[in-house]
Amino acid sequence: MLDQRLALQYVKDNIANFGGDPNKVTLAGQSAGAQSIGLHLLANDSEPLFQQTYMISNPFGLPYKLPEDALKLAEYFAEALGCPHLDLSCFREKEADEVLAASESAALNIINPLELFQFFEQWNPTVGEGEYPEEPVMAYEEGNFQRKPTIAGTVTEEGRAYVYSVFTNEVPWWMYRVIIRLLVPKHSQYVIDYYPPERLAPDQREMLNLLVTDYLFLCATSHVSQMMVKYDVDVYNYANDASMSFSQFWEQYDICKGYPCHGGDLVYIFRTAPLVNETFTPGEQDMVEDMTSYIGNFVRTGNPNTAFNTEIRKMQKKNLPYWPKVGDKPTNTYTMYFSACSNSVVSNYRKEYCDAFDEYGYYKIPFLNSYPESDKCQC
């Protein structure tokens, strides 16, 4: 985070020399990059260095580590590296491959059995002291963030690569129930009611994919967006349901071929198909034109619907569908739904599931708070 802030300060100090405007900087990032942006929005020292943000697939639902848990992970790392605990001079004597192998080995340990979702991302910032005294979602709920226009969205199968990487074999229905009980020990049945295993299906990893996508990515992002709207911030949400028509980008993740996996939308955002001598289908190309027009508009104006000038508007292939701001939760929430078939605005996307997660909270294990039996019956 400090390195990123130094880079942002460099941009602010020097971008005018390259024709840029130091007072019109947009932070954009995907996955861990989006997490970083979510944290910069909470950090006072980062506040003057950017004006708006674009968060792609931020796993807001992933709990960060407390300092004591981070130290425990560091101890596993040191042992795997063959160094005394926290001996930086010893760490620096090692080759890069040794450091990488040790970090991967340390990450196989369960650091906090009460926060098993951390297993999906072991190396991340710590909360509980310093710049980040609380989990990010809690900070947004309390209004402790910068008021800056934001685009935030996810793909529709964020959890697929993670679930199939962790569970390399089929997960039968009984094992699925065990996993849920480990992840949410106090209210596992409530989660199972929302995400029931298919008894006749030999493999429940698809249901785990849906649960991870909703809880860690989609619903957590939607919830943070609602908190930002509550404090009069312009926020635009999207869901991307397009799966690449070519598969070179998924050589390490066969399970993602033909699916809108985590990271799969980057090929559209950066229009990178030609780099592997591929072309988009006509439907993909239409979607790409819309997406990149929205992004360009937002970077220039803070509004994805407003082109920078008439020449830019003429260059856009067609009139873009209007992308409304998120809106207030008591009425409707709006999401731009991107696909290779057509792009459209949907209302209250997966609202039933996200409302449940919002009510019972993120972090400290979802659904951990007690709930009235009458509420459960209504569900």
Side-chain angles (χ1 to χ4, degrees):
M1 296 301 296
L2 296 177
D3 289 342
Q4 291 174 15
R5 187 175 297 148
L6 187 62
L8 290 172
Q9 186 65 55
Y10 178 88
V11 170
K12 185 175 180 64
D13 294 343
N14 294 282
I15 196 63
N17 297 323
F18 298 88
D21 185 343
N23 297 313
K24 192 176 285 187
V25 174
T26 301
L27 289 194
Q30 188 264 349
S31 193
Q35 288 177 286
S36 296
I37 294 170
L39 291 172
H40 282 299
L41 280 169
L42 304 178
N44 290 334
D45 288 346
S46 298
E47 196 280 332
L49 304 179
F50 63 99
Q51 285 67 49
Q52 51 196 30
T53 71
Y54 175 25
M55 289 184 278
I56 308 164
S57 298
N58 188 336
F60 268 115
L62 272 177
Y64 287 176
K65 286 181 175 56
L66 296 173
E68 54 266 31
D69 289 337
L71 283 171
K72 191 182 301 182
L73 178 62
E75 290 172 0
Y76 285 127
F77 168 76
E79 291 167 5
L81 198 57
C83 289
H85 295 171
L86 303 182
D87 185 343
L88 295 183
S89 60
C90 180
F91 294 173
R92 289 169 178 152
E93 293 173 356
K94 304 296 183 179
E95 297 294 327
D97 287 347
E98 295 178 281
V99 173
L100 180 60
S103 68
E104 291 175 344
S105 174
L108 296 176
N109 293 278
I110 294 176
I111 307 302
N112 184 343
L114 296 179
E115 295 283 12
L116 290 180
F117 273 121
Q118 287 182 352
F119 194 77
F120 286 107
E121 185 185 66
Q122 291 280 38
W123 301 100
N124 54 25
T126 58
V127 296
E129 62 183 22
E131 265 193 320
Y132 312 110
E134 56 193 350
E135 294 280 13
V137 169
M138 297 176 182
Y140 283 93
E141 288 173 341
E142 295 165 7
N144 299 326
F145 62 89
Q146 301 156 31
R147 278 52 165 167
K148 296 180 177 180
T150 292
I151 291 178
T154 61
V155 299
T156 55
E157 298 205 34
E158 296 279 8
R160 174 172 287 272
Y162 294 100
V163 167
Y164 281 83
S165 295
V166 173
F167 303 102
T168 55
N169 297 314
E170 291 183 348
V171 175
W173 69 268
W174 60 266
M175 184 182 294
Y176 173 84
R177 296 180 69 92
V178 171
I179 293 168
I180 299 302
R181 291 186 185 282
L182 289 173
L183 290 174
V184 284
K186 197 170 182 181
H187 292 297
S188 57
Q189 188 56 52
Y190 190 79
V191 179
I192 291 171
D193 288 344
Y194 266 90
Y195 299 86
E198 299 178 32
R199 288 294 184 99
L200 298 180
D203 190 359
Q204 306 299 325
R205 284 180 292 182
E206 288 300 311
M207 191 59 69
L208 282 173
N209 165 33
L210 188 60
L211 172 60
V212 169
T213 296
D214 283 353
Y215 174 63
L216 296 187
F217 291 90
L218 168 67
C219 295
T221 294
S222 176
H223 180 65
V224 168
S225 298
Q226 291 294 333
M227 296 302 101
M228 296 177 77
V229 168
K230 179 180 175 182
Y231 291 92
D232 298 322
V233 178
D234 291 346
V235 183
Y236 301 86
N237 279 172
Y238 70 87
N240 193 308
D241 193 41
S243 55
M244 286 177 281
S245 59
F246 43 92
S247 58
Q248 285 89 333
F249 289 94
W250 295 128
E251 289 180 356
Q252 296 182 7
Y253 296 99
D254 283 345
I255 194 63
C256 282
K257 291 180 179 179
Y259 295 94
C261 275
H262 183 71
D265 51 346
L266 295 178
V267 68
Y268 302 122
I269 294 169
F270 292 104
R271 307 168 77 111
T272 50
L275 296 182
V276 291
N277 298 317
E278 292 286 352
T279 56
F280 294 120
T281 66
E284 286 177 318
Q285 189 63 47
D286 285 344
M287 182 189 69
V288 166
E289 294 295 338
D290 281 3
M291 286 178 64
T292 53
S293 292
Y294 285 128
I295 295 166
N297 291 346
F298 179 77
V299 169
R300 288 286 198 170
T301 70
N303 185 329
N305 302 289
T306 306
F308 174 54
N309 56 33
T310 55
E311 290 302 313
I312 295 293
R313 186 178 294 278
K314 289 177 183 178
M315 290 171 58
Q316 294 176 353
K317 193 175 71 169
K318 59 184 178 181
N319 290 327
L320 296 173
Y322 181 73
W323 185 350
K325 291 180 285 190
V326 168
D328 296 323
K329 192 137 196 169
T331 53
N332 280 337
T333 58
Y334 299 105
T335 300
M336 178 61 74
Y337 193 84
F338 292 112
S339 78
C341 298
S342 64
N343 305 319
S344 59
V345 176
V346 296
S347 299
N348 300 326
Y349 181 59
R350 295 192 65 77
K351 185 177 188 299
E352 176 186 3
Y353 301 93
C354 291
D355 280 354
F357 284 125
D358 291 353
E359 181 178 356
Y360 296 109
Y362 300 86
Y363 309 127
K364 308 255 182 234
I365 302 186
F367 303 94
L368 200 57
N369 298 320
S370 60
Y371 56 86
E373 286 299 317
S374 59
D375 287 353
K376 182 177 179 182
C377 293
Q378 290 172 8
C379 295

